[in-house]
Amino acid sequence: MKKRIVRITAALCAAALLAGCGSISSKDGGYYTTEAAAQESYNYDSAAGGTDSGLVPENAAEAATDETAQKIIYNASLSMESTDFDTTREALMTAVEANGAWLESTSLYGTEKDHDRTADYTVRVPVGSYRAFLAAVGDAGSVLNISESAENITSSYIDVQARLSALEAQRDRLNALADQAETTADLLEIESQLSDVQYQLESYTCQLRSMDQQVSYSTVDIYLREVATLTPTGVTFGERIADAFGGGWDAFVGFLQGLVIALVYLWPVLLIAVAVVFILRKVWKKRPKKEKLPKPAQTPPPAEYPVKPGDEPKPKY
């Protein structure tokens, strides 16, 4: 009887291996290490394409729940700026609530006093509300750029489903063998194999549930930055020249303000430096001046050839 059980168990294991031999292999049998069948990436300019998604189809919500449809994960990443940081944040939170989305993570940096605040949001959006959510984000602030990607995990999804079906069939056969076991040793061996099969079933079930969630909920990453002036997009050459003049003046005013603030911070050092210079000048003035010695009289150099009497040059008439 024991040999019979061992042969049956070996046959079941071989059947499970054959069921998954045509699938894509991975480290844990999951989809995380498999290569996606298709992956595309799109970049949109805010002036040309706005935040209207041309990647997600209109029937994306129905396709996410249809068992025969392609399993595609849609993701997006946006970079935006605003001169009214608080208002833009409130508009983003309103868009999250209005579209049935939820915040997966959020981070805030900077201070309101310095007007240098930034925010990072990771939002999970139902695939049916994906396009509407992007449109609401575009209305909340100035979108500088947006990128979208689509990852097709249909082959990995089918692989996990096939493994689940094979394991469920193996579990049913082991349960039937457990009912026919004649000895305690046989029963313990069957229960040990059932425990291994049940562990794999739970692992693949979690992977399948995670894939369903990623297909049903898109991930949107948003980066928001507070600015004094919005970055110009689609402007003419004259407008760019005017913006350059304005930016130069703002930079000059900012430099003067920074210089004044630096001088205020350094007033003790400047006061000490002025006092040291004043003392050195006083000490230098009190030092006695050195008397200048008279220069010795210079004597004419001797003639090279002495003139003899009678050799004087005669005057010409």
Side-chain angles (χ1 to χ4, degrees):
M1 181 65 183
K2 185 175 182 179
K3 293 183 178 179
R4 181 185 176 187
I5 293 175
V6 172
R7 288 197 299 268
I8 294 175
T9 304
L12 291 175
C13 293
L17 291 174
L18 289 174
C21 66
S23 303
I24 301 174
S25 61
S26 63
K27 183 178 180 180
D28 296 325
Y31 77 101
Y32 294 103
T33 55
T34 59
E35 184 177 356
Q39 184 174 2
E40 300 178 17
S41 178
Y42 297 86
N43 291 320
Y44 291 88
D45 181 73
S46 57
T51 53
D52 293 333
S53 174
L55 187 61
V56 180
E58 294 290 348
N59 61 342
E62 292 79 5
T65 57
D66 189 359
E67 295 182 357
T68 60
Q70 295 288 314
K71 301 297 180 181
I72 301 177
I73 300 175
Y74 298 100
N75 297 320
S77 178
L78 297 96
S79 177
M80 57 191 305
E81 60 185 16
S82 174
T83 55
D84 192 346
F85 189 80
D86 294 327
T87 302
T88 302
R89 282 184 57 200
E90 293 177 1
L92 289 176
M93 296 302 101
T94 302
V96 170
E97 296 178 0
N99 291 278
W102 50 279
L103 284 174
E104 189 173 60
S105 65
T106 177
S107 301
L108 298 175
Y109 307 95
T111 60
E112 182 179 1
K113 179 181 178 181
D114 296 332
H115 301 286
D116 61 347
R117 290 174 291 178
T118 61
D120 289 311
Y121 299 104
T122 300
V123 187
R124 299 300 302 274
V125 185
V127 68
S129 304
Y130 177 81
R131 298 165 67 95
F133 178 75
L134 290 185
V137 171
D139 295 336
S142 176
V143 178
L144 298 179
N145 56 71
I146 172 175
S147 62
E148 297 181 76
S149 65
E151 182 182 2
N152 193 329
I153 61 169
T154 305
S155 59
S156 300
Y157 194 91
I158 295 174
D159 176 41
V160 175
Q161 283 184 326
R163 292 175 183 269
L164 276 174
S165 300
L167 288 171
E168 288 174 353
Q170 186 179 359
R171 181 189 58 187
D172 295 339
R173 292 186 179 93
L174 287 173
N175 285 327
L177 288 175
D179 295 336
Q180 299 174 5
E182 297 179 356
T183 63
T184 304
D186 294 340
L187 183 60
L188 291 176
E189 184 178 356
I190 294 173
E191 288 181 351
S192 176
Q193 296 182 21
L194 272 172
S195 178
D196 294 338
V197 171
Q198 187 63 32
Y199 174 78
Q200 296 182 47
L201 278 171
E202 292 176 357
S203 176
Y204 286 122
T205 302
C206 290
Q207 293 181 22
L208 200 65
R209 189 182 301 114
S210 178
M211 284 190 284
D212 285 331
Q213 187 180 29
Q214 293 189 44
V215 171
S216 301
Y217 285 84
S218 301
T219 302
V220 179
D221 295 318
I222 302 173
Y223 173 74
L224 173 63
R225 182 168 64 98
E226 183 180 21
V227 294
T229 305
L230 296 177
T231 301
T233 55
V235 295
T236 62
F237 179 74
E239 292 174 342
R240 293 175 62 185
I241 292 294
D243 291 337
F245 275 111
W249 174 254
D250 293 338
F252 177 71
V253 172
F255 170 76
L256 291 180
Q257 293 176 351
L259 181 61
V260 172
I261 293 174
L263 293 176
V264 172
Y265 273 112
L266 297 175
W267 73 266
V269 178
L270 296 176
L271 184 61
I272 294 174
V274 171
V276 170
V277 172
F278 179 77
I279 294 172
L280 291 177
R281 292 188 62 183
K282 287 289 185 182
V283 172
W284 184 265
K285 288 181 179 180
K286 290 181 180 180
R287 292 179 61 185
K289 297 182 179 179
K290 295 182 179 180
E291 296 182 359
K292 296 182 179 180
L293 297 177
K295 295 182 179 180
Q298 296 182 354
T299 57
E304 294 182 0
Y305 302 100
V307 181
K308 296 180 180 181
D311 292 340
E312 293 87 355
K314 295 180 181 181
K316 296 181 178 181
Y317 299 98

